Amino acid sequence: MATFEPALAKTLKNEGGFYHDPKTGEVAYKGITLWLLRGLHWSGTNPQVKGTPATPEEVEIVKGLSDKDIAHLYSSQFWYQQQLNALSQDVAEKVFDLCVNTGNSQGGKLLQRAVNRLIWPEAIDEDGKIGPRTTNKANSVDQAVLLERIRQEAKVFYAKLVEQKPVLIGNLKGWYRRVDT
């Protein structure tokens, strides 16, 4: 069984401090986005559709998140929601970081796709929801091999993302570096 604190420490090393892009409306602090907070109806945020520019008050709310708030959001919205504690530590840490960077569903799909490559033809659904079937199959294979396969699947995902959205090419090297940590 994996524990949350080491995973959080690793992911926070990958996440930056405060970020605000007025053109896109993106606001984040230590990887927690305004869009996540809006979706949770976090106190003081305006739960409008994604992409609506941040108000000055919302920018301050994101800036003002405490370390306790951040840890709570990461544990409740990513770690426990995806049942990552049921995986081995190394695999859970990698999948957690991918969930944070790509979203829960995509991070879950990357794990499921990696597992499927190793257990074919006993495939599991690639629905992005990590539950008992996914964790049981993930835990039944060699963990070092699975971890490497997850990294390969993540790199393929990021390459396809850049192919679809060439404006993101500047992020690719950093994403690959993050996958390899």
Side-chain angles (χ1 to χ4, degrees):
M1 298 278 286
T3 55
F4 172 68
E5 289 75 16
L8 177 64
K10 281 187 177 181
T11 291
L12 287 176
K13 286 181 183 176
N14 289 326
E15 291 296 339
F18 178 73
Y19 175 79
H20 180 208
D21 184 344
K23 291 180 186 174
T24 64
E26 184 178 5
V27 181
Y29 180 58
K30 295 186 178 181
I32 299 296
T33 65
L34 172 60
W35 298 324
L36 173 66
L37 297 178
R38 281 178 172 173
L40 297 172
H41 299 270
W42 193 265
S43 179
T45 64
N46 185 1
Q48 297 176 358
V49 295
K50 186 175 180 176
T52 303
T55 66
E57 295 80 17
E58 288 176 318
V59 170
E60 292 305 313
I61 288 167
V62 174
K63 272 187 187 177
L65 289 171
S66 69
D67 288 345
K68 185 177 176 181
D69 291 333
I70 289 165
H72 168 73
L73 288 163
Y74 275 139
S75 68
S76 66
Q77 299 303 308
F78 297 91
W79 185 263
Y80 291 108
Q81 191 172 94
Q82 284 288 59
Q83 301 181 35
L84 299 177
N85 56 311
L87 297 168
S88 69
Q89 190 68 40
D90 289 343
V91 169
E93 288 174 5
K94 180 52 59 191
V95 176
F96 173 67
D97 194 59
L98 287 167
C99 286
V100 167
N101 192 245
T102 66
N104 268 339
S105 180
Q106 187 59 53
K109 288 176 185 176
L110 291 169
L111 169 64
Q112 292 163 334
R113 195 165 299 129
V115 169
N116 280 341
R117 301 290 187 269
L118 299 176
I119 65 167
W120 184 258
E122 301 173 37
I124 54 175
D125 291 340
E126 293 179 17
D127 61 4
K129 297 173 187 165
I130 301 172
R133 185 159 162 74
T134 298
T135 57
N136 288 339
K137 292 292 185 179
N139 289 333
S140 74
V141 299
D142 182 290
Q143 296 300 282
V145 173
L146 176 58
L147 188 59
E148 184 53 35
R149 189 72 225 187
I150 293 167
R151 288 182 172 125
Q152 292 169 1
E153 294 298 335
K155 287 179 179 179
V156 168
F157 166 76
Y158 287 125
K160 287 181 180 178
L161 181 62
V162 168
E163 193 176 286
Q164 293 167 355
K165 297 181 180 180
V167 69
L168 298 175
I169 188 69
N171 297 323
L172 191 59
K173 187 176 178 181
W175 287 334
Y176 280 4
R177 187 172 36 251
R178 184 173 183 157
V179 165
D180 288 333
T181 60

